Amino acid sequence: MNLDFWSIIAQISATLLGLVFAGQVFYLTNINDAMEVQKIQDFGFQDISSQAMVICILTNIILFLYPLLVAVCLITTTGRQVLIFWEVFWVLVIIFIIVLELVINKKSKDIFTNKNLKDKKNPKFELVVNRVKLGQVFVCIGVVLLVGLLVPYKVFSIQVFEILLQFAVITMIIIGLGLIVFDLIAFEKQNILFKSTGKTLKIIERMNQELNLRRQQLDSLYIDYSNILRSDEYAEWEEERFKEIKDTLSHAFQKNAVEMIDNEKVERKIFLENCRNSIEKIPPGKNPKFIADFIAETNRNGFSIYSLNQIFKFQEELDNITMELNNFTTTLKGRLSYLRENGVIDKSGVKSRMS
């Protein structure tokens, strides 16, 4: 038996076990930081990464603990009494692993209670789901393989079983390291996962109602302003205004005045197109796409899954469209007020409503 090899494996496994526990502190810190973000509290999202983290930590512990136990077993087994101890110990460990697998399966169902996981369109969520499943598969295969090789090796002392056992232990450690690297990414603050609750859906629906009200107000102002620009009263007023501008300039600057007037018309046309595009982002009686997708997925599955980064993007889209509506509304109100002050329209504000 290669005692040097198994001594090194024991040291490496023990070190990696310590790394797993250190990683747990890192993961918990990131999860707590993500949960304290104001947007999470405002929207009422519920953390699911902490439960997924427990499963990942347990599988990582097993992946490093088993090589350690195998190494210690081989190093210390020199007498019959010690051999009996290890036989009893391995039976207890296998029972423990079975119970642990049942606990992990129960936690997995608690987190991913959804019959339509294939309908999920969140790649980060899919990665965590697959990570949990693969972790369980690797643990089961690793335990069966190590015990299946350890027992015949101790009974028959055939060298080939030790070689296979060495290969299996190294493979298990490499898999564990790979999962740790994945976990470092999966439990980074921006990737922490949250699921929507009833409170979240109510908040989103209320925000959507507010957006629709803003959209209706802007649409009304846009129609008023467009009607005024097409009116004879506005054409006459604009012609007089442009004439006054030209008259105030010397002959040398007449060309500049024409360019300024043309630029103003182009700017107004672009403004109206942008305003129309902003209004059309919220079709009448419908929801903006990003809100419609959120509500549809929540209604279909009972909840929707978002990473912290995706929640930021959702909020950014909401802020952008709200800001657009507000800016265009403010600008249109200012322009209508200016036209009213200059006598182009009366207090009703629209040519079609003029007395």
Side-chain angles (χ1 to χ4, degrees):
M1 182 174 61
N2 190 341
L3 289 177
D4 291 337
F5 172 84
W6 292 113
S7 297
I8 293 172
I9 288 296
Q11 294 174 39
I12 292 174
S13 300
T15 302
L16 292 176
L17 268 175
L19 184 62
V20 171
F21 289 108
Q24 181 180 4
V25 176
F26 171 77
Y27 306 150
L28 284 173
T29 301
N30 286 341
I31 292 172
N32 289 333
D33 289 346
M35 290 178 65
E36 290 176 1
V37 172
Q38 192 62 42
K39 289 182 177 63
I40 300 300
Q41 299 174 15
D42 291 342
F43 282 100
F45 281 98
Q46 180 181 347
D47 160 58
I48 62 171
S49 280
S50 57
Q51 298 179 63
M53 181 207 69
V54 172
I55 298 175
C56 294
I57 290 294
L58 289 176
T59 55
N60 289 341
I61 288 174
I62 295 170
L63 286 170
F64 295 130
L65 181 61
Y66 253 71
L68 175 62
L69 293 177
V70 169
V72 173
C73 175
L74 291 172
I75 293 171
T76 59
T77 305
T78 54
R80 180 61 186 167
Q81 290 182 340
V82 176
L83 183 61
I84 293 174
F85 164 80
W86 280 110
E87 289 172 349
V88 174
F89 177 81
W90 281 112
V91 170
L92 294 176
V93 168
I94 292 172
I95 293 174
F96 169 74
I97 294 298
I98 293 172
V99 173
L100 192 59
E101 278 295 305
L102 293 175
V103 171
I104 290 176
N105 283 324
K106 174 65 168 58
K107 283 187 171 292
S108 299
K109 291 177 181 178
D110 289 343
I111 301 171
F112 312 120
T113 50
N114 180 15
K115 296 179 180 179
N116 301 313
L117 283 177
K118 293 182 180 179
D119 293 337
K120 288 293 178 185
K121 297 179 181 179
N122 188 323
K124 291 184 175 62
F125 178 72
E126 287 291 346
L127 285 174
V128 172
V129 172
N130 293 330
R131 159 66 178 91
V132 170
K133 291 178 180 179
L134 284 175
Q136 293 175 259
V137 170
F138 287 141
V139 165
C140 292
I141 293 176
V143 169
V144 172
L145 189 61
L146 291 184
V147 175
L149 292 171
L150 181 64
V151 172
Y153 174 67
K154 296 304 295 180
V155 173
F156 302 108
S157 298
I158 300 176
Q159 188 66 27
V160 67
F161 282 111
E162 183 184 6
I163 296 173
L164 292 174
L165 200 56
Q166 290 174 353
F167 176 78
V169 165
I170 292 173
T171 302
M172 205 165 181
I173 290 174
I174 291 173
I175 290 173
L177 284 171
L179 292 180
I180 284 180
V181 172
F182 175 88
D183 293 344
L184 288 172
I185 299 172
F187 296 107
E188 191 177 7
K189 182 179 176 180
Q190 296 299 320
N191 295 329
I192 301 301
L193 293 173
F194 297 87
K195 72 176 181 179
S196 60
T197 62
K199 178 183 176 182
T200 312
L201 188 57
K202 289 179 181 178
I203 292 172
I204 297 299
E205 288 176 341
R206 186 177 70 246
M207 289 180 172
N208 188 54
Q209 291 174 358
E210 293 175 357
L211 279 179
N212 274 281
L213 290 174
R214 294 175 189 271
R215 188 257 184 208
Q216 292 172 15
Q217 183 184 21
L218 178 59
D219 194 28
S220 177
L221 292 170
Y222 173 84
I223 293 172
D224 289 352
Y225 186 61
S226 299
N227 287 338
I228 291 168
L229 294 182
R230 290 192 294 266
S231 69
D232 295 335
E233 288 83 355
Y234 180 81
E236 293 174 3
W237 173 80
E238 187 175 50
E239 185 177 351
E240 291 178 3
R241 186 170 70 90
F242 288 160
K243 185 176 182 302
E244 289 176 2
I245 293 174
K246 289 180 181 179
D247 291 342
T248 59
L249 298 174
S250 64
H251 180 74
F253 290 97
Q254 290 291 319
K255 185 178 180 180
N256 292 341
V258 173
E259 290 179 358
M260 182 187 71
I261 292 168
D262 290 340
N263 289 338
E264 183 177 325
K265 291 180 179 179
V266 171
E267 183 276 331
R268 188 167 61 230
K269 181 180 178 181
I270 294 173
F271 168 79
L272 287 172
E273 289 176 354
N274 291 337
C275 184
R276 187 73 252 169
N277 291 335
S278 182
I279 293 171
E280 290 175 352
K281 288 180 180 179
I282 311 175
K286 297 183 180 180
N287 304 323
K289 187 178 184 306
F290 68 100
I291 291 182
D293 291 344
F294 177 89
I295 294 176
E297 185 175 353
T298 301
N299 289 334
R300 182 175 65 248
N301 301 315
F303 61 89
S304 55
I305 302 294
Y306 281 88
S307 68
L308 181 63
N309 190 46
Q310 289 171 319
I311 292 173
F312 280 137
K313 289 181 179 179
F314 182 91
Q315 181 67 54
E316 185 179 359
E317 285 190 77
L318 185 62
D319 290 342
N320 287 341
I321 194 169
T322 301
M323 184 174 64
E324 277 185 33
L325 295 175
N326 289 341
N327 288 343
F328 283 122
T329 298
T330 301
T331 303
L332 282 175
K333 284 181 177 179
R335 294 192 178 192
L336 288 170
S337 177
Y338 173 76
L339 294 175
R340 185 177 296 109
E341 290 172 359
N342 284 272
V344 182
I345 55 176
D346 61 11
K347 293 182 178 180
S348 61
V350 184
K351 174 182 178 292
S352 61
R353 296 199 288 261
M354 289 181 180
S355 54

